[in-house]
Amino acid sequence: MSSMPEEIFPLTLAFEEVRTLLSGKEGRAALQAGPAGLSSFLKKSLPPRPGAVNPADIAAVEYALHEVKRDKRTQERPGRGAVINPVLQLVEVTGDVSSFFPATGEGRPPSASGGWVAVWKGPETGRVYAEAADEQMLLALKVLLEDSPGGLTGRELRAVNLAIDHAARKGIVIKAPYLTSRTLQGFPEGEGIAARYRTASAFTLQWHITNACDLHCSHCYDRQKRSPLTAGEGLAVIDDFERFCDRKNVRAHICFSGGNPFLSPHFFTLYGAAAGKGMATSVLGNPVSEEELLRCIDLQMPEYFQVSLEGLEEHNDLVRGKGYFKRVAGFLDLLRKHDVPSAVMLTLTERNMRQVLPLAEYLREKTGFFTFNRLSQVGEGAGLPLPDPAEYRRFLEEYAAAARESPVIGIKENLINILRREEGIRPFGGCTGFGCGAAFNFLALLPDGEVHACRKFPSPLGRISESDFLSIYDSREAARYRDGSAACSACDLRPVCGGCMAVVHGMGLDPFRDRDPFCFHDEQGRIGGAT
């Protein structure tokens, strides 16, 4: 007997019953027929054993691993859409194989009770994986095999999009290259990490569909009266955004905001239209009635519903109005009752910085996510004070430490990556998952159709009534915001940082030239020079 069977089937041949079968006439013939013959012989000779170990299942997975390793076909990305990884093999198993392939993928081990095992070669890594094919993987493969059948409802389309994204992250599906991109310096850790932050797989449109609001917060960025788009114009915006995301090969996400988006007479029409196209949707606004919330959920469960608090009750109600703290607390309970993911955002100033962590503790059982943004000193917030930079650094150290212990504290502030670098911890994605994402994986659309790179400060790029998202995104002005400050261009943390351009602008500096005044990276030998 040649050495090939031992190399291909080491786990299978460890079973005594397999060795006994192979010592017979038919078994010896199966060995002579090669690995495919051996696998077929064991499948025919050993009956299914639901819930138990079946050596025939082990042999089928081992043979698939052998075949995938040998497969030299290229795994090129398609120009559009997604395709099944050409070297993927699906193996049906009848029993428990989980203990034999415990660490061949990043997901679940192959099934413990029968089903399908996916075996494939990662298109980026070249590694071979074996993993239980979950429902999302199988849905993605079914849809792609059927050549993306039409006639899907919005919810069905959303489920399909999520399934394909999940399968693409695994590598069993290969998607077209993402075409939202920017030029950035890389990380010392390696080109793979740098590449991760040069392109984005999803794009968020933060759509302020109205400036109407039931509050009058003391730090409001924009109380201008703007003539909102009509329902027809809003539907045209959604169509255009769909075309943009299709051309850029990215997933579409619309975050509906305001003011209070529910005060727009067109909110449910526009939210439903986005949901009907399979887009991800979320809400950034104020508490609403249970009836309004359920109407929103019926159209599509939001990815999250974000509300704001500005500190503990007394301070918050000075900023947002008497009784608002209790109103938000009750609404968070309502969101939890209906299983809506919730988030709470705080706008940080000198006056509430020391209330952030006590508020986070209060919210521990109230929300799934809490974080903050520094105040942008524009609009009605122009006269409010920001903290002293040295005090702010000490606060960030406390906040980052608390985040490691709290289930709800999220990290969004780009400058926390400086602390992580000092501690030898891998950087996180920063504000938008890519540091400053202004005009990169994010755009803001104001009620009257003005498009901005960031909502927190004046950063106009054009009007949607006079152009389209593709032209706006590809414009020279948008590229300036993607590049960020020249003072950060050579910094090793730029892909996940870039400071906050809105804070820079609000402090009277040039966001294209000056660095964030709160940046303390040069204390540790910052690569980028001073302004």
Side-chain angles (χ1 to χ4, degrees):
M1 185 173 67
S2 71
S3 61
M4 179 176 280
E6 288 87 347
E7 293 172 358
I8 300 171
F9 300 102
L11 299 174
T12 305
L13 295 177
F15 287 90
E16 184 176 351
E17 62 180 306
V18 170
R19 295 196 299 271
T20 299
L21 276 172
L22 296 180
S23 65
K25 181 178 179 181
E26 290 186 13
R28 290 194 299 273
L31 285 172
Q32 293 297 321
L38 174 56
S39 180
S40 297
F41 169 71
L42 292 177
K43 185 176 181 179
K44 179 182 68 174
S45 303
L46 297 171
R49 303 173 185 178
V53 175
N54 187 344
D57 292 335
I58 308 299
V61 176
E62 286 193 297
Y63 179 58
L65 286 166
H66 167 70
E67 289 292 282
V68 169
K69 287 175 185 176
R70 296 174 63 238
D71 199 321
K72 303 302 183 184
R73 281 178 289 176
T74 58
Q75 299 166 283
E76 296 179 355
R77 294 188 180 275
R80 301 288 293 276
V83 296
I84 296 171
N85 187 328
V87 304
L88 169 72
Q89 292 209 24
L90 278 181
V91 180
E92 188 173 17
V93 295
T94 62
D96 182 2
V97 298
S98 59
S99 61
F100 293 86
F101 306 95
T104 51
E106 295 182 358
R108 298 184 304 157
S111 176
S113 59
W116 294 93
V117 174
V119 182
W120 75 98
K121 189 181 298 180
E124 305 294 340
T125 66
R127 289 178 55 195
V128 176
Y129 302 91
E131 188 175 310
D134 58 32
E135 290 183 3
Q136 283 192 303
M137 291 183 192
L138 295 174
L139 174 59
L141 296 175
K142 178 178 184 294
V143 169
L144 293 176
L145 283 170
E146 294 175 356
D147 196 23
S148 302
L152 298 176
T153 68
R155 289 180 179 175
E156 291 168 341
L157 185 58
R158 176 77 178 130
V160 166
N161 290 340
L162 288 172
I164 291 175
D165 288 341
H166 172 71
R169 286 192 294 272
K170 293 291 185 183
I172 71 171
V173 162
I174 304 174
K175 291 186 70 175
Y178 309 124
L179 301 180
T180 50
S181 61
R182 60 185 179 183
T183 302
L184 290 172
Q185 296 295 321
F187 284 119
E189 285 90 337
E191 292 184 4
I193 298 176
R196 174 183 173 188
Y197 295 104
R198 289 198 186 103
T199 60
S201 61
F203 196 93
T204 296
L205 178 66
Q206 189 181 91
W207 190 357
H208 299 260
I209 60 176
T210 179
N211 265 11
C213 190
D214 45 338
L215 305 176
H216 193 130
C217 304
S218 59
H219 62 260
C220 185
Y221 298 135
D222 186 3
R223 296 289 295 187
Q224 293 182 53
K225 300 297 182 185
R226 296 177 181 268
S227 298
L229 302 177
T230 66
E233 290 169 332
L235 293 173
V237 164
I238 293 173
D239 288 341
D240 183 45
F241 187 58
E242 180 184 41
R243 287 191 294 271
F244 167 78
C245 292
D246 183 60
R247 289 285 298 275
K248 293 294 186 181
N249 296 329
V250 292
R251 302 188 306 277
H253 169 213
I254 298 183
C255 177
F256 289 89
S257 186
N260 181 351
F262 283 77
L263 295 181
S264 166
H266 311 310
F267 170 71
F268 291 106
T269 297
L270 300 177
Y271 187 94
K277 290 180 177 292
M279 295 179 178
T281 52
S282 58
V283 179
L284 195 166
N286 302 333
V288 297
S289 69
E290 185 169 20
E291 179 184 4
E292 290 173 303
L293 178 63
L294 290 175
R295 188 176 172 189
C296 181
I297 293 171
D298 284 344
L299 292 170
Q300 178 166 281
M301 177 65 76
E303 298 285 302
Y304 57 86
F305 196 123
Q306 179 180 303
V307 293
S308 295
L309 287 173
E310 307 308 336
L312 299 175
E313 186 170 2
E314 181 179 359
H315 179 79
N316 175 82
D317 288 2
L318 285 173
V319 175
R320 290 190 167 264
K322 186 172 178 60
Y324 188 73
F325 188 93
K326 286 186 170 64
R327 186 179 164 197
V328 167
F331 185 64
L332 291 172
D333 292 339
L334 182 65
L335 292 174
R336 177 165 291 187
K337 172 184 173 182
H338 294 290
D339 298 319
V340 180
S342 68
V344 176
M345 176 64 69
L346 176 142
T347 299
L348 186 138
T349 68
E350 178 188 59
R351 295 171 181 171
N352 66 2
M353 184 170 69
R354 288 301 162 193
Q355 297 186 40
V356 171
L357 293 180
L359 178 61
E361 189 59 31
Y362 169 80
L363 293 170
R364 179 182 284 262
E365 304 300 327
K366 288 278 189 182
T367 187
F369 186 84
F370 167 70
T371 193
F372 69 91
N373 274 324
R374 277 177 286 156
L375 171 76
S376 173
Q377 294 170 304
V378 299
E380 296 189 14
L384 296 176
L386 283 165
D388 173 79
E391 286 292 321
Y392 185 63
R393 173 181 175 149
R394 286 190 283 273
F395 161 75
L396 287 186
E397 291 170 345
E398 296 171 6
Y399 184 89
R404 290 192 283 268
E405 305 297 328
S406 171
V408 302
I409 294 179
I411 50 174
K412 191 173 190 293
E413 164 65 81
N414 289 332
L415 301 183
I416 289 177
N417 271 319
I418 305 174
L419 299 177
R420 293 172 73 93
R421 171 58 57 81
E422 292 173 4
E423 297 170 15
I425 302 173
R426 186 186 179 107
F428 80 107
C431 182
T432 67
F434 297 84
C436 176
F440 169 51
N441 67 328
F442 175 95
L443 283 173
L445 179 63
L446 304 194
D448 59 359
E450 272 191 9
V451 180
H452 286 243
C454 174
R455 182 65 184 99
K456 292 174 60 182
F457 74 110
S459 49
L461 298 174
R463 284 187 174 274
I464 202 63
S465 59
E466 300 168 359
S467 188
D468 58 22
F469 286 115
L470 189 62
S471 299
I472 289 171
Y473 186 88
D474 289 338
S475 69
R476 181 175 298 180
E477 189 65 15
R480 291 184 73 203
Y481 285 99
R482 283 195 287 279
D483 290 343
S485 173
C488 298
S489 62
C491 179
D492 60 330
L493 286 176
R494 172 62 185 96
V496 290
C497 187
C500 179
M501 299 178 80
V503 169
V504 174
H505 171 88
M507 296 181 74
L509 302 172
D510 183 348
F512 299 116
R513 184 179 65 86
D514 298 322
R515 60 183 282 197
D516 189 327
F518 286 81
C519 176
F520 49 91
H521 197 6
D522 56 355
E523 295 175 16
Q524 299 297 319
R526 184 175 183 273
I527 294 176
T531 59

